[in-house]
Coordinates of all heavy atoms in Angstrom, one line a residue:
M68 N -18.6 -4.9 7.4 CA -19.3 -3.9 8.2 C -18.2 -2.9 8.7 O -17.1 -3.3 9.2 CB -20.0 -4.5 9.3 CG -20.6 -3.4 10.2 SD -21.5 -4.2 11.6 CE -22.9 -3.2 11.5
V69 N -18.5 -1.6 8.5 CA -17.5 -0.6 9.0 C -17.6 -0.5 10.5 O -18.6 -0.5 11.1 CB -17.9 0.8 8.4 CG1 -16.9 1.8 9.0 CG2 -17.8 0.7 6.9
R70 N -16.5 -0.5 11.2 CA -16.4 -0.4 12.7 C -15.9 0.9 13.0 O -14.8 1.4 12.4 CB -15.5 -1.5 13.3 CG -16.1 -2.9 13.0 CD -15.4 -3.9 13.9 NE -16.0 -5.1 13.7 CZ -15.4 -6.2 13.4 NH1 -14.1 -6.3 13.3 NH2 -16.1 -7.3 13.2
Y71 N -16.6 1.7 13.9 CA -16.1 3.0 14.3 C -15.4 2.8 15.6 O -15.9 2.1 16.5 CB -17.3 3.9 14.4 CG -18.0 4.0 13.1 CD1 -19.2 3.3 12.8 CD2 -17.5 4.8 12.1 CE1 -19.8 3.3 11.7 CE2 -18.1 4.8 10.9 CZ -19.3 4.1 10.6 OH -19.9 4.2 9.4
M72 N -14.3 3.5 15.8 CA -13.5 3.2 17.0 C -12.8 4.5 17.5 O -12.7 5.4 16.7 CB -12.5 2.1 16.8 CG -11.5 2.4 15.7 SD -10.4 1.0 15.4 CE -11.4 -0.1 14.5
S73 N -12.4 4.4 18.7 CA -11.7 5.5 19.3 C -10.2 5.4 18.9 O -9.8 4.4 18.2 CB -11.7 5.4 20.8 OG -11.1 4.2 21.2
I74 N -9.4 6.4 19.2 CA -8.0 6.4 18.8 C -7.3 5.2 19.6 O -6.4 4.5 19.0 CB -7.3 7.8 19.1 CG1 -5.9 7.8 18.5 CG2 -7.3 8.1 20.6 CD1 -5.8 7.7 17.1
G75 N -7.7 5.0 20.8 CA -7.2 3.8 21.6 C -7.4 2.5 20.9 O -6.5 1.7 20.8
K76 N -8.6 2.3 20.4 CA -8.9 1.0 19.7 C -8.2 0.9 18.4 O -7.7 -0.2 18.0 CB -10.4 0.9 19.5 CG -11.2 0.5 20.8 CD -12.6 0.4 20.5 CE -13.4 0.1 21.7 NZ -14.8 -0.1 21.5
A77 N -8.0 2.1 17.8 CA -7.3 2.1 16.5 C -5.8 1.8 16.7 O -5.2 1.0 16.0 CB -7.4 3.4 15.8
I78 N -5.2 2.3 17.8 CA -3.8 2.0 18.1 C -3.7 0.5 18.4 O -2.8 -0.2 17.9 CB -3.3 2.9 19.3 CG1 -3.2 4.3 18.9 CG2 -2.0 2.4 19.9 CD1 -3.1 5.3 20.1
K79 N -4.6 0.0 19.2 CA -4.5 -1.5 19.6 C -4.7 -2.3 18.3 O -4.0 -3.3 18.1 CB -5.6 -1.8 20.6 CG -5.5 -3.1 21.2 CD -6.5 -3.3 22.4 CE -6.2 -4.6 23.1 NZ -7.0 -4.7 24.3
L80 N -5.6 -2.0 17.5 CA -5.8 -2.7 16.3 C -4.5 -2.7 15.4 O -4.1 -3.8 14.9 CB -7.0 -2.1 15.4 CG -7.2 -2.7 14.0 CD1 -7.7 -4.1 14.1 CD2 -8.1 -1.8 13.2
C81 N -3.9 -1.6 15.2 CA -2.7 -1.4 14.4 C -1.6 -2.1 15.0 O -0.8 -2.8 14.3 CB -2.4 0.0 14.2 SG -3.6 0.9 13.1
R82 N -1.5 -2.1 16.3 CA -0.4 -2.8 17.0 C -0.5 -4.2 16.8 O 0.5 -5.0 16.5 CB -0.4 -2.4 18.5 CG 0.7 -3.1 19.3 CD 0.8 -2.6 20.7 NE -0.4 -2.9 21.5 CZ -0.7 -4.1 22.0 NH1 0.2 -5.1 21.9 NH2 -1.8 -4.3 22.7
G83 N -1.7 -4.7 16.9 CA -2.0 -6.2 16.6 C -1.7 -6.6 15.2 O -1.1 -7.6 14.9
R84 N -2.1 -5.7 14.2 CA -1.9 -6.1 12.8 C -0.4 -6.1 12.5 O 0.1 -6.7 11.6 CB -2.6 -5.0 11.9 CG -4.0 -5.1 11.9 CD -4.6 -6.2 11.1 NE -6.0 -6.3 11.2 CZ -6.8 -6.7 10.3 NH1 -6.3 -7.0 9.1 NH2 -8.1 -6.8 10.5
K85 N 0.4 -5.4 13.3 CA 1.9 -5.2 13.1 C 2.6 -6.3 13.9 O 3.8 -6.3 13.9 CB 2.4 -3.8 13.4 CG 1.9 -2.8 12.4 CD 2.5 -3.0 11.1 CE 2.8 -1.7 10.4 NZ 3.6 -1.9 9.3
N86 N 1.9 -7.0 14.7 CA 2.4 -8.1 15.7 C 3.4 -7.4 16.6 O 4.5 -8.0 16.9 CB 3.1 -9.2 14.9 CG 2.0 -10.0 14.1 OD1 0.9 -10.3 14.6 ND2 2.3 -10.2 12.8
F87 N 3.1 -6.2 17.1 CA 3.9 -5.6 18.1 C 3.3 -5.8 19.5 O 2.2 -5.8 19.7 CB 3.9 -4.0 18.0 CG 4.9 -3.5 16.9 CD1 5.2 -4.2 15.8 CD2 5.3 -2.2 17.1 CE1 6.1 -3.7 14.9 CE2 6.2 -1.6 16.1 CZ 6.6 -2.4 15.0
T88 N 4.2 -6.1 20.5 CA 3.8 -6.1 21.8 C 3.7 -4.8 22.4 O 4.2 -3.8 21.8 CB 4.8 -7.0 22.7 OG1 6.0 -6.3 22.7 CG2 4.9 -8.4 22.2
L89 N 3.1 -4.6 23.6 CA 3.1 -3.3 24.2 C 4.6 -2.8 24.4 O 4.9 -1.6 24.2 CB 2.4 -3.3 25.5 CG 0.8 -3.1 25.5 CD1 0.2 -3.5 26.8 CD2 0.4 -1.8 25.0
S90 N 5.4 -3.7 24.9 CA 6.8 -3.3 25.1 C 7.5 -2.9 23.9 O 8.3 -1.9 23.9 CB 7.6 -4.6 25.7 OG 7.0 -4.9 27.0
E91 N 7.3 -3.6 22.8 CA 8.0 -3.2 21.5 C 7.5 -1.8 21.1 O 8.3 -1.0 20.6 CB 7.6 -4.2 20.4 CG 8.4 -5.5 20.6 CD 7.8 -6.6 19.7 OE1 6.7 -6.6 19.3 OE2 8.7 -7.5 19.3
L92 N 6.2 -1.5 21.1 CA 5.6 -0.3 20.8 C 6.2 0.8 21.7 O 6.5 1.9 21.3 CB 4.2 -0.3 20.7 CG 3.5 1.0 20.3 CD1 4.0 1.5 19.0 CD2 1.9 0.9 20.3
S93 N 6.3 0.5 23.0 CA 6.8 1.4 23.9 C 8.2 1.8 23.6 O 8.6 3.0 23.6 CB 6.8 0.9 25.3 OG 7.5 1.6 26.3
E94 N 9.0 0.8 23.3 CA 10.5 1.1 23.0 C 10.6 1.9 21.7 O 11.4 2.9 21.7 CB 11.2 -0.3 22.8 CG 12.7 -0.1 22.5 CD 13.3 -1.5 22.4 OE1 13.0 -2.4 23.2 OE2 14.2 -1.6 21.6
K95 N 9.8 1.7 20.7 CA 10.0 2.3 19.4 C 9.3 3.7 19.5 O 9.8 4.6 18.7 CB 9.3 1.5 18.3 CG 10.1 0.2 18.0 CD 9.4 -0.5 16.9 CE 10.2 -1.8 16.7 NZ 10.9 -1.9 15.4
S96 N 8.3 3.9 20.3 CA 7.7 5.2 20.4 C 8.3 6.2 21.4 O 8.0 7.4 21.3 CB 6.2 5.0 20.6 OG 6.0 4.5 21.9
G97 N 8.9 5.6 22.4 CA 9.5 6.4 23.5 C 8.4 6.7 24.5 O 8.6 7.6 25.3
L98 N 7.3 6.0 24.5 CA 6.2 6.2 25.4 C 6.2 4.9 26.4 O 6.6 3.9 26.0 CB 4.9 6.3 24.7 CG 4.7 7.5 23.8 CD1 3.5 7.4 23.0 CD2 4.9 8.8 24.4
S99 N 5.7 5.1 27.6 CA 5.8 4.0 28.5 C 4.7 3.0 28.2 O 3.7 3.3 27.6 CB 5.5 4.5 30.0 OG 4.2 4.9 30.1
V100 N 5.0 1.8 28.6 CA 4.0 0.7 28.4 C 2.7 1.0 29.0 O 1.6 0.8 28.5 CB 4.5 -0.7 29.0 CG1 3.5 -1.7 29.0 CG2 5.7 -1.1 28.2
S101 N 2.7 1.6 30.3 CA 1.5 1.9 31.0 C 0.7 3.0 30.4 O -0.5 2.9 30.3 CB 1.8 2.3 32.4 OG 2.7 3.4 32.5
Y102 N 1.4 4.0 29.7 CA 0.7 5.0 29.0 C 0.0 4.5 27.8 O -1.2 4.8 27.5 CB 1.7 6.1 28.6 CG 1.0 7.3 27.9 CD1 0.2 8.2 28.7 CD2 1.1 7.5 26.6 CE1 -0.5 9.2 28.0 CE2 0.4 8.5 25.9 CZ -0.3 9.4 26.6 OH -1.0 10.4 26.0
I103 N 0.7 3.6 27.0 CA 0.1 3.1 25.8 C -1.1 2.2 26.2 O -2.1 2.2 25.5 CB 1.1 2.3 25.0 CG1 2.2 3.2 24.5 CG2 0.5 1.5 23.8 CD1 3.4 2.6 23.9
S104 N -1.0 1.4 27.3 CA -2.1 0.6 27.8 C -3.3 1.4 28.1 O -4.4 1.2 27.8 CB -1.6 -0.2 29.0 OG -2.7 -1.0 29.4
L105 N -3.0 2.5 28.8 CA -4.1 3.5 29.1 C -4.8 4.1 27.9 O -6.0 4.2 27.8 CB -3.6 4.6 30.0 CG -3.2 4.2 31.5 CD1 -2.5 5.4 32.2 CD2 -4.4 3.8 32.2
L106 N -4.0 4.4 26.9 CA -4.5 4.9 25.6 C -5.4 3.8 25.0 O -6.5 4.1 24.6 CB -3.4 5.2 24.6 CG -2.5 6.4 24.9 CD1 -1.4 6.6 23.8 CD2 -3.4 7.7 25.0
E107 N -4.9 2.6 24.8 CA -5.7 1.5 24.2 C -7.0 1.2 24.9 O -7.9 0.7 24.3 CB -4.8 0.3 24.1 CG -3.7 0.4 23.1 CD -2.8 -0.8 22.9 OE1 -3.0 -1.8 23.7 OE2 -2.0 -0.9 22.0
N108 N -7.0 1.5 26.2 CA -8.2 1.3 27.0 C -9.0 2.5 27.2 O -9.9 2.6 28.0 CB -7.8 0.6 28.3 CG -7.3 -0.8 28.2 OD1 -8.1 -1.7 27.7 ND2 -6.0 -1.0 28.4
N109 N -8.7 3.5 26.4 CA -9.5 4.8 26.4 C -9.6 5.5 27.8 O -10.5 6.1 28.1 CB -10.9 4.6 25.8 CG -10.8 4.1 24.4 OD1 -10.1 4.7 23.5 ND2 -11.6 3.1 24.1
K110 N -8.4 5.4 28.5 CA -8.4 6.1 29.8 C -7.5 7.3 29.7 O -7.3 8.0 30.7 CB -7.8 5.1 30.8 CG -8.8 3.9 31.0 CD -8.5 3.1 32.2 CE -9.4 1.9 32.2 NZ -10.4 1.8 33.1
R111 N -6.9 7.6 28.6 CA -6.2 8.8 28.3 C -6.5 9.3 26.9 O -6.7 8.6 26.0 CB -4.6 8.5 28.4 CG -4.1 8.3 29.8 CD -4.1 9.5 30.7 NE -3.5 9.3 31.9 CZ -4.2 8.8 33.0 NH1 -5.5 8.5 32.9 NH2 -3.6 8.7 34.2
D112 N -6.4 10.7 26.7 CA -6.6 11.3 25.4 C -5.3 11.8 25.1 O -4.7 12.8 25.6 CB -7.6 12.4 25.5 CG -9.0 11.9 25.7 OD1 -9.4 10.8 25.1 OD2 -9.7 12.5 26.5
P113 N -4.6 11.2 24.0 CA -3.2 11.7 23.7 C -3.3 13.0 22.9 O -4.2 13.3 22.2 CB -2.8 10.5 22.8 CG -4.0 10.0 22.2 CD -5.1 10.1 23.2
N114 N -2.2 13.7 23.0 CA -2.1 14.9 22.1 C -1.5 14.4 20.7 O -1.1 13.2 20.5 CB -1.2 16.0 22.7 CG 0.3 15.5 23.0 OD1 0.8 14.7 22.2 ND2 0.8 16.0 24.1
L115 N -1.5 15.2 19.7 CA -1.2 14.9 18.4 C 0.3 14.4 18.3 O 0.6 13.4 17.6 CB -1.4 16.0 17.5 CG -1.2 15.7 15.9 CD1 -2.2 14.6 15.5 CD2 -1.5 16.9 15.1
S116 N 1.2 15.0 19.1 CA 2.6 14.5 19.0 C 2.8 13.1 19.5 O 3.6 12.3 19.0 CB 3.5 15.5 19.8 OG 3.2 15.4 21.2
K117 N 2.0 12.7 20.5 CA 2.0 11.3 21.0 C 1.5 10.3 20.0 O 2.0 9.3 19.7 CB 1.4 11.2 22.3 CG 2.1 11.9 23.4 CD 1.8 11.5 24.8 CE 2.4 12.0 25.9 NZ 3.3 13.1 25.8
I118 N 0.3 10.7 19.3 CA -0.2 9.9 18.3 C 0.8 9.8 17.1 O 0.9 8.7 16.5 CB -1.6 10.4 17.8 CG1 -2.6 10.5 18.9 CG2 -2.1 9.7 16.6 CD1 -3.8 11.2 18.6
E119 N 1.5 10.8 16.8 CA 2.4 10.8 15.7 C 3.6 9.9 16.1 O 4.1 9.1 15.2 CB 2.9 12.2 15.5 CG 3.9 12.3 14.2 CD 4.2 13.8 13.9 OE1 4.3 14.6 14.8 OE2 4.5 14.1 12.7
S120 N 4.0 10.0 17.3 CA 5.1 9.0 17.8 C 4.7 7.6 17.6 O 5.5 6.7 17.2 CB 5.4 9.3 19.2 OG 6.0 10.6 19.4
I121 N 3.4 7.3 17.9 CA 3.0 5.9 17.8 C 2.9 5.5 16.3 O 3.3 4.4 15.9 CB 1.6 5.8 18.5 CG1 1.8 5.9 20.0 CG2 0.9 4.5 18.1 CD1 0.6 6.0 20.9
S122 N 2.4 6.4 15.5 CA 2.2 6.1 14.1 C 3.6 5.8 13.5 O 3.8 4.9 12.6 CB 1.5 7.2 13.3 OG 2.2 8.4 13.1
K123 N 4.6 6.7 13.8 CA 6.0 6.4 13.3 C 6.5 5.1 13.8 O 7.2 4.4 13.1 CB 6.9 7.6 13.7 CG 6.6 8.8 12.9 CD 7.6 9.9 13.4 CE 7.3 11.2 12.6 NZ 8.1 12.3 13.0
A124 N 6.3 4.8 15.0 CA 6.8 3.6 15.6 C 6.2 2.3 14.9 O 6.9 1.3 14.7 CB 6.5 3.5 17.1
L125 N 4.9 2.5 14.5 CA 4.2 1.4 13.9 C 4.5 1.4 12.3 O 4.0 0.6 11.6 CB 2.7 1.5 14.1 CG 2.3 1.2 15.5 CD1 0.8 1.6 15.7 CD2 2.5 -0.3 15.8
N126 N 5.2 2.5 11.9 CA 5.4 2.6 10.5 C 4.1 2.7 9.6 O 3.9 2.1 8.6 CB 6.3 1.5 9.9 CG 6.9 1.9 8.6 OD1 7.1 3.1 8.3 ND2 7.2 0.9 7.7
I127 N 3.2 3.5 10.3 CA 1.8 3.7 9.7 C 1.7 5.2 9.4 O 1.9 6.0 10.4 CB 0.8 3.2 10.5 CG1 0.9 1.6 10.7 CG2 -0.6 3.6 10.0 CD1 0.0 1.1 11.7
P128 N 1.3 5.7 8.3 CA 1.0 7.1 8.1 C 0.0 7.5 9.2 O -1.0 6.9 9.4 CB 0.4 7.2 6.7 CG 0.9 6.0 6.0 CD 1.1 4.9 7.0
L129 N 0.2 8.7 9.7 CA -0.6 9.3 10.7 C -2.0 9.4 10.2 O -3.0 9.1 11.0 CB -0.1 10.7 11.2 CG -0.9 11.5 12.2 CD1 -1.0 10.7 13.5 CD2 -0.3 12.8 12.4
S130 N -2.2 9.8 9.0 CA -3.6 9.9 8.4 C -4.4 8.6 8.4 O -5.6 8.6 8.7 CB -3.5 10.4 7.0 OG -2.7 9.6 6.2
L131 N -3.7 7.4 8.3 CA -4.4 6.2 8.3 C -4.8 5.9 9.7 O -6.0 5.4 9.9 CB -3.5 5.1 7.8 CG -3.2 5.1 6.3 CD1 -2.4 3.9 5.9 CD2 -4.4 5.2 5.4
L132 N -4.0 6.1 10.7 CA -4.4 5.9 12.1 C -5.5 6.8 12.5 O -6.5 6.3 13.1 CB -3.1 6.1 13.0 CG -3.3 5.8 14.5 CD1 -3.6 4.3 14.7 CD2 -2.0 6.1 15.2
L133 N -5.5 8.0 12.1 CA -6.6 8.9 12.4 C -7.8 8.5 11.7 O -8.9 8.6 12.3 CB -6.2 10.3 12.1 CG -5.1 10.9 12.9 CD1 -4.7 12.3 12.5 CD2 -5.5 11.0 14.4
F134 N -7.8 8.1 10.5 CA -9.0 7.6 9.7 C -9.6 6.4 10.5 O -10.9 6.5 10.6 CB -8.6 7.2 8.3 CG -9.8 6.6 7.6 CD1 -10.8 7.4 7.1 CD2 -9.9 5.2 7.4 CE1 -12.0 6.9 6.5 CE2 -11.0 4.7 6.8 CZ -12.0 5.5 6.3
L135 N -8.9 5.6 10.9 CA -9.5 4.4 11.6 C -10.2 4.8 12.9 O -11.1 4.2 13.4 CB -8.4 3.4 12.0 CG -7.9 2.5 10.9 CD1 -6.7 1.6 11.3 CD2 -9.0 1.6 10.3
S136 N -9.7 5.9 13.5 CA -10.3 6.4 14.8 C -11.5 7.3 14.5 O -12.1 7.8 15.5 CB -9.3 7.0 15.6 OG -8.8 8.2 15.1
E137 N -11.9 7.6 13.3 CA -13.0 8.5 13.1 C -14.3 7.9 13.6 O -14.6 6.8 13.6 CB -13.2 8.7 11.5 CG -12.1 9.4 10.9 CD -11.9 10.9 11.3 OE1 -13.0 11.5 11.5 OE2 -10.8 11.4 11.4
E138 N -15.1 8.8 14.2 CA -16.4 8.5 14.7 C -17.3 8.5 13.5 O -17.2 9.1 12.5 CB -16.9 9.5 15.7 CG -16.0 9.4 17.0 CD -16.6 10.4 18.0 OE1 -17.8 10.8 18.0 OE2 -15.7 10.8 18.9
K139 N -18.4 7.7 13.7 CA -19.4 7.6 12.6 C -20.0 9.0 12.1 O -20.1 9.1 10.9 CB -20.6 6.8 13.2 CG -21.7 6.5 12.1 CD -22.8 5.7 12.6 CE -23.8 5.3 11.6 NZ -24.8 4.5 12.0
K140 N -20.2 9.9 13.0 CA -20.7 11.1 12.6 C -19.7 11.9 11.7 O -20.2 12.8 10.9 CB -21.2 12.0 13.8 CG -20.1 12.4 14.7 CD -20.5 13.2 15.9 CE -19.4 13.5 16.7 NZ -19.8 14.3 17.9
E141 N -18.4 11.6 11.9 CA -17.5 12.4 11.1 C -17.3 11.9 9.7 O -16.8 12.6 8.8 CB -16.1 12.3 11.8 CG -16.1 13.0 13.2 CD -14.9 12.7 14.0 OE1 -14.3 11.7 13.9 OE2 -14.5 13.6 14.8
I142 N -17.8 10.7 9.4 CA -17.7 10.2 8.0 C -19.1 9.8 7.5 O -19.2 9.1 6.5 CB -16.7 9.0 7.9 CG1 -17.1 7.9 8.8 CG2 -15.3 9.5 8.1 CD1 -16.2 6.7 8.5
E143 N -20.1 10.3 8.1 CA -21.5 9.9 7.7 C -21.8 10.4 6.3 O -22.8 9.9 5.7 CB -22.5 10.3 8.7 CG -22.7 11.7 8.9 CD -23.6 12.0 10.1 OE1 -24.2 11.1 10.7 OE2 -23.8 13.2 10.3
S144 N -21.1 11.3 5.8 CA -21.4 11.9 4.4 C -21.0 10.9 3.4 O -21.4 10.9 2.2 CB -20.6 13.2 4.2 OG -19.3 13.0 4.2
L145 N -20.1 9.9 3.8 CA -19.7 8.8 2.8 C -20.8 7.7 2.8 O -21.5 7.4 3.8 CB -18.4 8.1 3.3 CG -17.2 9.0 3.4 CD1 -16.0 8.2 4.0 CD2 -16.8 9.7 2.1
S146 N -21.0 7.1 1.6 CA -21.9 6.0 1.5 C -21.4 4.8 2.4 O -20.1 4.7 2.5 CB -22.1 5.6 0.1 OG -20.9 4.9 -0.4
P147 N -22.2 4.0 2.9 CA -21.7 2.8 3.7 C -20.8 2.0 2.9 O -19.8 1.4 3.4 CB -23.0 2.1 4.0 CG -24.1 3.1 4.0 CD -23.7 4.1 2.9
E148 N -21.0 1.8 1.6 CA -20.2 1.0 0.7 C -18.8 1.6 0.6 O -17.8 0.9 0.7 CB -20.8 0.8 -0.6 CG -22.1 0.1 -0.7 CD -23.3 1.0 -0.3 OE1 -23.2 2.2 -0.4 OE2 -24.4 0.4 0.1
L149 N -18.7 2.9 0.4 CA -17.5 3.6 0.3 C -16.7 3.6 1.6 O -15.5 3.3 1.6 CB -17.6 5.1 -0.1 CG -16.4 5.9 -0.3 CD1 -15.4 5.2 -1.3 CD2 -16.7 7.3 -0.7
A150 N -17.4 3.8 2.8 CA -16.7 3.7 4.1 C -16.2 2.3 4.3 O -15.0 2.2 4.8 CB -17.7 4.1 5.1
E151 N -16.9 1.3 3.9 CA -16.4 0.0 4.1 C -15.2 -0.3 3.2 O -14.2 -0.9 3.7 CB -17.5 -1.0 3.7 CG -17.2 -2.5 3.7 CD -17.0 -3.0 5.2 OE1 -17.6 -2.4 6.1 OE2 -16.4 -4.1 5.3
K152 N -15.2 0.1 2.0 CA -14.1 -0.1 1.1 C -12.8 0.7 1.6 O -11.7 0.1 1.6 CB -14.4 0.4 -0.3 CG -15.3 -0.6 -1.1 CD -15.6 -0.1 -2.4 CE -16.7 -1.0 -3.1 NZ -17.0 -0.5 -4.4
L153 N -13.0 1.9 2.1 CA -11.9 2.6 2.7 C -11.3 2.0 3.9 O -10.1 1.9 4.1 CB -12.3 4.1 2.9 CG -12.5 5.0 1.8 CD1 -13.2 6.3 2.2 CD2 -11.3 5.2 1.1
S154 N -12.2 1.5 4.7 CA -11.8 0.8 6.0 C -10.9 -0.4 5.6 O -9.8 -0.7 6.2 CB -13.0 0.4 6.8 OG -13.6 1.5 7.3
L155 N -11.4 -1.2 4.7 CA -10.7 -2.5 4.3 C -9.3 -2.1 3.7 O -8.3 -2.7 3.9 CB -11.6 -3.3 3.3 CG -12.8 -4.0 4.0 CD1 -13.6 -4.6 2.9 CD2 -12.4 -5.0 5.0
L156 N -9.4 -1.1 2.8 CA -8.2 -0.7 2.1 C -7.1 -0.2 3.2 O -5.9 -0.4 3.1 CB -8.4 0.4 1.1 CG -7.2 1.0 0.3 CD1 -6.5 -0.1 -0.4 CD2 -7.7 2.1 -0.6
T157 N -7.6 0.6 4.1 CA -6.7 1.1 5.2 C -6.1 -0.1 6.0 O -4.9 0.0 6.2 CB -7.5 2.0 6.2 OG1 -8.1 3.0 5.5 CG2 -6.7 2.5 7.3
L158 N -6.8 -1.1 6.3 CA -6.3 -2.2 7.0 C -5.3 -2.9 6.2 O -4.2 -3.4 6.7 CB -7.4 -3.2 7.5 CG -8.3 -2.6 8.5 CD1 -9.5 -3.6 8.8 CD2 -7.6 -2.3 9.8
K159 N -5.5 -3.1 4.9 CA -4.5 -3.7 4.0 C -3.2 -2.9 3.9 O -2.1 -3.5 3.9 CB -5.1 -3.9 2.6 CG -6.1 -5.0 2.5 CD -6.6 -5.2 1.1 CE -7.7 -6.3 1.1 NZ -8.3 -6.5 -0.2
L160 N -3.4 -1.6 3.8 CA -2.2 -0.7 3.8 C -1.4 -0.8 5.1 O -0.1 -0.8 5.0 CB -2.6 0.7 3.6 CG -3.1 1.1 2.2 CD1 -3.7 2.5 2.1 CD2 -2.0 1.0 1.2
I161 N -2.0 -0.9 6.2 CA -1.4 -1.1 7.4 C -0.6 -2.4 7.5 O 0.6 -2.4 7.9 CB -2.3 -1.0 8.7 CG1 -2.9 0.4 8.8 CG2 -1.7 -1.6 9.9 CD1 -4.0 0.6 9.7
E162 N -1.2 -3.5 7.0 CA -0.5 -4.8 7.0 C 0.7 -4.8 6.1 O 1.7 -5.4 6.3 CB -1.5 -5.9 6.6 CG -2.5 -6.1 7.7 CD -3.6 -7.1 7.3 OE1 -3.7 -7.4 6.1 OE2 -4.4 -7.4 8.1
Q163 N 0.6 -4.0 5.0 CA 1.7 -4.0 4.0 C 2.8 -3.0 4.3 O 3.9 -3.1 3.8 CB 1.2 -3.6 2.6 CG 0.2 -4.7 2.1 CD -0.3 -4.4 0.8 OE1 -0.2 -3.3 0.3 NE2 -1.2 -5.3 0.3
S164 N 2.6 -2.1 5.3 CA 3.6 -1.1 5.6 C 4.6 -1.5 6.6 O 4.4 -2.6 7.2 CB 2.9 0.2 6.0 OG 2.3 0.0 7.3

């Protein structure tokens, strides 16, 4: 089943898939632990440069991180089967990067 998530949830998911702690992501991205925690809990809306810093720190293409954070309405033109396949492929790419 395709899960739709916010950018915060996408960051948390990717961080978990990469086995990074908040401290490790903070160190690699140059952002504070508290700021990343606020992002992951959807209490802050990051600008693109901060999302890019996080994607680089996680060694994940920015486009994959943004795809995971898409809202349902933004990809509703895709068939559910295609959206599911893209989501699974994206997660596999993250794990391999």
Side-chain angles (χ1 to χ4, degrees):
M68 172 181 227
V69 178
R70 293 189 177 133
Y71 304 98
M72 60 184 76
S73 65
I74 190 66
K76 286 183 182 179
I78 292 167
K79 190 172 189 172
L80 172 72
C81 293
R82 182 174 63 80
R84 294 281 176 146
K85 295 293 217 165
N86 295 315
F87 277 31
T88 64
L89 277 170
S90 295
E91 290 169 326
L92 182 55
S93 170
E94 185 178 316
K95 291 181 183 248
S96 68
L98 303 171
S99 72
V100 169
S101 61
Y102 182 75
I103 295 170
S104 179
L105 289 169
L106 289 178
E107 289 184 350
N108 290 293
N109 298 312
K110 299 196 187 246
R111 291 288 184 272
D112 291 322
N114 61 35
L115 189 56
S116 67
K117 291 198 178 8
I118 297 171
E119 187 173 28
S120 294
I121 291 169
S122 73
K123 285 180 181 179
L125 292 169
N126 195 31
I127 295 172
L129 179 61
S130 57
L131 293 183
L132 186 58
L133 293 174
F134 173 76
L135 284 174
S136 70
E137 292 293 325
E138 293 183 22
K139 183 178 181 177
K140 66 181 179 181
E141 294 172 331
I142 59 172
E143 66 187 358
S144 63
L145 300 176
S146 71
E148 296 82 19
L149 179 57
E151 178 74 18
K152 287 178 183 178
L153 287 171
S154 294
L155 292 173
L156 180 60
T157 300
L158 291 174
K159 285 181 183 178
L160 287 170
I161 288 168
E162 289 171 352
Q163 294 174 0
S164 63

